Amino acid sequence: GENVEQHPSTLSVQEGDSAVIKCTYSDSASNYFPWYKQELGKRPQLIIDIRSNVGEKKDQRIAVTLNKTAKHFSLHITETQPEDSAVYFCAASIRYTGFQKLVFGTGTRLLVSP
Amino acid sequence: DAGVTQSPTHLIKTRGQQVTLRCSPKSGHDTVSWYQQALGQGPQFIFQYYEEEERQRGNFPDRFSGHQFPNYSSELNVNALLLGDSALYLCASSLSYSSNEKLFFGSGTQLSVL
């Protein structure tokens, strides 16, 4: 079945630095890749997503890149701020007959120090 | 516009008991998926409901069952609770058969089995 690996498990950066989180998926049929941010005790919140027909997508300080050949996708956060501190999850989805099921990575704990 | 709502927020049960968790999807969504998130892990897909039927199921035993009502709300039932069932149970809603794959999560029910 589908498997998603995520690295690193923890990432500490100084405010203003960039942060990069990488994921690898196993099923080449995966066609949708969202990223979620989860603060302690709160729900996962969708921050950005990308479809398999697009190589890169950007939304202000956040960008996602996708390499279908290598089955890699990455989250890039520039000019990090303390409020970016949270656990970030990548996910991959295969859409069968209108329905999708997300397979999540194990998460990256990002700590941004002032 | 209400988002995904879940109840209760916290629940404490003992081994062998049964539990029912409830979810109301985001307005306009017709599909409800349930995920289990163990401490320090990514969410794991349990099952998905559309038109009051289970459409997809993850690798969970038959002790986990669900239901969807005509108003699209859903319940997750777990029988014969085990200590290992302690986790955050997340409900997510989406719109199937559409070009919009976005999945939105509720705040979850924290289940503790003693």
Side-chain angles (χ1 to χ4, degrees):
Chain A
E2 174 70 279
N3 183 49
V4 176
E5 294 187 359
Q6 183 171 349
H7 301 281
S9 57
T10 59
L11 180 58
S12 294
V13 300
Q14 291 293 121
E15 183 177 1
D17 288 349
S18 295
V20 180
I21 302 171
K22 299 182 179 182
C23 289
T24 304
Y25 59 97
S26 61
D27 195 327
S28 55
S30 296
N31 53 26
Y32 175 63
F33 306 91
W35 286 86
Y36 286 85
K37 175 184 179 182
Q38 188 174 30
E39 297 178 55
L40 190 62
K42 296 191 176 181
R43 73 184 75 193
Q45 289 198 304
L46 180 67
I47 56 172
I48 196 167
D49 56 6
I50 191 169
R51 293 183 179 182
S52 58
N53 59 349
V54 175
E56 184 174 356
K57 183 176 178 181
K58 189 173 181 179
D59 182 5
Q60 299 182 341
R61 297 186 296 110
I62 294 174
V64 57
T65 58
L66 171 65
N67 181 331
K68 285 194 299 182
T69 303
K71 290 190 274 188
H72 289 170
F73 58 115
S74 300
L75 178 70
H76 305 253
I77 306 174
T78 59
E79 301 172 25
T80 54
Q81 302 167 3
E83 50 265 39
D84 293 330
S85 296
V87 179
Y88 291 81
F89 292 97
C90 63
S93 176
I94 305 171
R95 195 176 177 92
Y96 289 127
T97 61
F99 301 104
Q100 65 150 324
K101 175 184 78 174
L102 293 183
V103 177
F104 284 83
T106 50
T108 295
R109 183 172 301 279
L110 174 64
L111 177 61
V112 181
S113 302
Chain B
D1 179 22
V4 182
T5 58
Q6 291 186 244
S7 64
T9 55
H10 296 83
L11 206 50
I12 299 175
K13 293 285 187 179
T14 57
R15 281 180 298 175
Q17 284 190 312
Q18 178 265 344
V19 68
T20 298
L21 311 181
R22 296 176 176 82
C23 171
S24 292
K26 180 180 169 64
S27 178
H29 285 181
D30 56 12
T31 302
V32 172
S33 302
W34 287 92
Y35 289 79
Q36 180 195 65
Q37 186 176 24
L39 192 63
Q41 299 295 317
Q44 298 287 319
F45 177 77
I46 303 175
F47 45 51
Q48 178 182 75
Y49 278 84
Y50 171 77
E51 291 189 336
E52 302 178 51
E53 290 187 12
E54 184 181 292
R55 299 292 175 164
Q56 296 191 80
R57 189 177 181 93
N59 189 25
F60 279 80
D62 292 344
R63 298 186 298 110
F64 289 76
S65 64
H67 188 79
Q68 185 180 35
F69 300 94
N71 66 353
Y72 308 118
S73 67
S74 176
E75 289 182 349
L76 164 65
N77 300 292
V78 186
N79 294 322
L81 284 167
L82 303 174
L83 295 180
D85 294 331
S86 295
L88 179 67
Y89 288 84
L90 294 163
C91 169
S93 74
S94 58
L95 184 63
S96 292
Y97 294 103
S98 80
S99 60
N100 185 352
E101 300 99 331
K102 298 184 192 299
L103 202 68
F104 293 91
F105 284 89
S107 297
T109 294
Q110 185 65 54
L111 173 65
S112 298
V113 182
L114 306 178

